[in-house]
Amino acid sequence: MNIQSNTLLLGMAAATLLASCSKDDRKPDNPGNFIIAVTPAATTGVADYLLTASSLDTGSISTAGQGEEQDGTYRYYVTHNDKFFSMLYGQGNPGAVTTYNIVDGRLNKLSNFQTETVQAFAPVNDDLLLMKISRNITNPFASWYRINTNTLQIESEGKVSTSAPSGNGELAHFSWIKQVGNKVFAPYFSIKACCNASFETAYPDSAWIAVYSYPDMQLEKVIKDNRTSFIGRYFVDGLGTVENGDTYAFSASVAVTDGKISSTKPSAVVKIPAGTTEFDQSYFFDVEQASGGYNITDWLYVGQNKFVVLVTSKAEKGQYSSGLRLGVIHVVDKSFKLVTGMPDVADINSLTNMSNYSARDGRYGYVGVNLKSGIGYIYKIDANNASATQGLRVDGGTITAIHHLD
């Protein structure tokens, strides 16, 4: 496969020169190794800001006169190999990818380049793997790009068939990708990809994972489970690997047919045992039953088999609804608890999803809470007792991501 490196090489030299010759020598207002992404409070033409902080437990930060402005909103973020990657979702157009590290508590730009807008990305070995996924039945392919996070260069690129994994006349649309052992797991939902029903399906009651070799991204097998619906959600990582190497997968059970939720199976957690590429048929955690009707929409692994989960009630359940409530699940004990100490649901505008933070110490996770008052807070969630404590205050916008760099 030819590598179009001329169009995808990272502008390392230029970015490094700009960073070293910057006229702005002031220290950040809140130096620290935590990075909080905030979308300013504006109706149009807004750009995300990256703010730093030394703690998520106390203090306050603001977009007013602070932060590193990004090129456009709809940004998504990932940390890997002591670097922070800020990716612009270009909504079909090419998107900028900006790379930073932290020096003395301040973000330091390392590179900036453009690639295709992607719908899934994940650290794999020393690489960052990006995937642009077709939602058109006439173009049944997903393009992948492998970025080496040491050299900050595109090492290779290619395409995978999205009709081959499904084999049912629909396309496999990967909800996310994740390294598991030396493989890349790509859970997917089956979509019609045509005829004003792009994200609808005739197969709402199955979960699938396509298993790829790495780095050549060859499809090795597809594993399937008919006890729940598809894994994750659009742009949501539904996989979590715990300390013993077992990988757990959640389903929100929100497949759609003819404009309505059609999944008849419960929101649940299933397991792929360490060292295998098969679902464990002896394990099944019915989350809806354990929680009294809630379904998982996103999760954050905090360690020791515990996840902080975003949930919706049966009445709130929807294809793109992420919810305004938090819970804690223990995947081995198969237990569920609603988190106490959160603001009233009526006062919450949104919760940060996809990019919350945990040091994976087995106890604490941090979740962004955006209030209708316009103020945001990062709440510290204690997974041992399912309680929340108000922490860092964020003024001037919506918290969209929380990360940490050493």
Side-chain angles (χ1 to χ4, degrees):
M1 190 70 64
N2 290 331
I3 303 172
Q4 299 173 358
S5 56
N6 288 338
T7 60
L8 293 172
L9 282 175
L10 313 188
M12 289 183 63
T16 303
L17 180 62
L18 287 172
S20 62
C21 299
S22 173
K23 296 179 180 179
D24 182 9
D25 294 324
R26 70 177 180 88
K27 296 293 183 181
D29 297 272
N30 294 279
N33 289 65
F34 290 103
I35 304 167
I36 298 93
V38 180
T39 301
T43 55
T44 59
V46 295
D48 276 8
Y49 280 77
L50 302 180
L51 306 175
T52 53
S54 59
S55 173
L56 299 177
D57 297 313
T58 60
S60 65
I61 55 177
S62 172
T63 58
Q66 300 177 20
E68 183 84 11
E69 184 176 5
Q70 301 300 282
D71 178 17
T73 189
Y74 298 111
R75 283 269 175 175
Y76 298 98
Y77 308 96
V78 63
T79 55
H80 187 41
N81 199 14
D82 294 329
K83 298 177 182 70
F84 178 83
F85 295 85
S86 169
M87 293 176 281
L88 175 67
Y89 185 78
Q91 296 181 300
N93 299 313
V97 179
T98 309
T99 310
Y100 301 88
N101 63 3
I102 282 187
V103 178
D104 297 327
R106 184 176 186 176
L107 285 166
N108 175 55
K109 185 184 291 186
L110 297 174
S111 68
N112 193 56
F113 72 105
Q114 280 194 335
T115 185
E116 296 289 338
T117 288
V118 298
Q119 290 79 34
F121 49 86
V124 183
N125 297 335
D126 280 343
D127 301 330
L128 188 62
L129 180 63
L130 315 178
M131 295 198 78
K132 177 181 176 63
I133 307 160
S134 170
R135 61 189 72 174
N136 188 328
I137 196 71
T138 64
N139 180 32
F141 297 97
S143 299
W144 56 266
Y145 307 93
R146 184 167 67 91
I147 301 172
N148 184 308
T149 60
N150 291 310
T151 63
L152 296 180
Q153 292 187 5
I154 301 294
E155 291 287 336
S156 59
E157 63 179 275
K159 290 185 177 182
V160 297
S161 168
T162 51
S163 61
S166 59
N168 59 12
E170 297 186 349
L171 296 187
H173 196 289
F174 305 125
S175 56
W176 208 246
I177 52 177
K178 196 178 201 73
Q179 179 175 6
V180 178
N182 63 352
K183 309 295 183 185
V184 171
F185 279 21
Y188 66 85
F189 45 104
S190 183
I191 62 171
K192 293 182 178 180
C194 75
C195 317
N196 298 317
S198 292
F199 283 99
E200 296 191 1
T201 183
Y203 306 94
D205 285 332
S206 293
W208 306 270
I209 298 176
V211 179
Y212 292 91
S213 60
Y214 196 80
D216 55 350
M217 292 297 292
Q218 296 298 307
L219 178 64
E220 295 188 343
K221 66 188 301 186
V222 175
I223 60 176
K224 181 179 180 180
D225 198 313
N226 291 327
R227 296 172 296 171
T228 190
S229 188
F230 69 83
I231 292 164
R233 293 189 305 128
Y234 178 74
F235 226 98
V236 173
D237 182 3
L239 299 178
T241 301
V242 302
E243 286 81 357
N244 72 351
D246 289 345
T247 297
Y248 292 88
F250 84 81
S251 172
S253 195
V254 290
V256 170
T257 307
D258 296 329
K260 298 178 181 179
I261 297 291
S262 54
S263 301
T264 64
K265 304 298 176 68
S267 175
V269 176
V270 291
K271 182 174 77 170
I272 302 97
T276 74
T277 52
E278 295 292 344
F279 288 108
D280 182 352
Q281 295 301 310
S282 69
Y283 177 91
F284 187 74
F285 178 15
D286 186 333
V287 175
E288 287 194 40
Q289 183 180 58
S291 66
Y294 289 101
N295 71 296
I296 300 176
T297 65
D298 195 4
W299 64 2
L300 170 69
Y301 187 53
V302 299
Q304 297 178 18
N305 303 309
K306 287 169 277 191
F307 291 80
V308 174
V309 293
L310 278 70
V311 296
T312 55
S313 67
K314 185 176 181 178
E316 298 163 338
K317 192 173 185 178
Q319 192 174 20
Y320 303 109
S321 301
S322 57
L324 301 176
R325 295 175 178 86
L326 297 176
V328 173
I329 63 171
H330 192 294
V331 290
V332 174
D333 296 346
K334 300 181 183 179
S335 62
F336 174 95
K337 293 180 181 179
L338 275 178
V339 171
T340 61
M342 291 283 286
D344 290 340
V345 169
D347 296 328
I348 300 175
N349 188 54
S350 66
L351 301 179
T352 301
N353 61 0
M354 299 184 292
S355 287
N356 290 303
Y357 171 74
S358 174
R360 298 193 172 185
D361 59 0
R363 185 168 184 179
Y364 297 114
Y366 293 86
V367 176
V369 179
N370 301 296
L371 301 177
K372 291 180 180 178
S373 66
I375 300 171
Y377 291 94
I378 294 175
Y379 272 75
K380 183 179 184 178
I381 313 302
D382 187 335
N384 284 352
N385 57 25
S387 65
T389 303
Q390 183 178 289
L392 180 70
R393 172 171 168 157
V394 180
D395 290 303
T398 299
I399 305 164
T400 59
I402 309 164
H403 286 268
H404 181 271
L405 275 184
D406 293 327

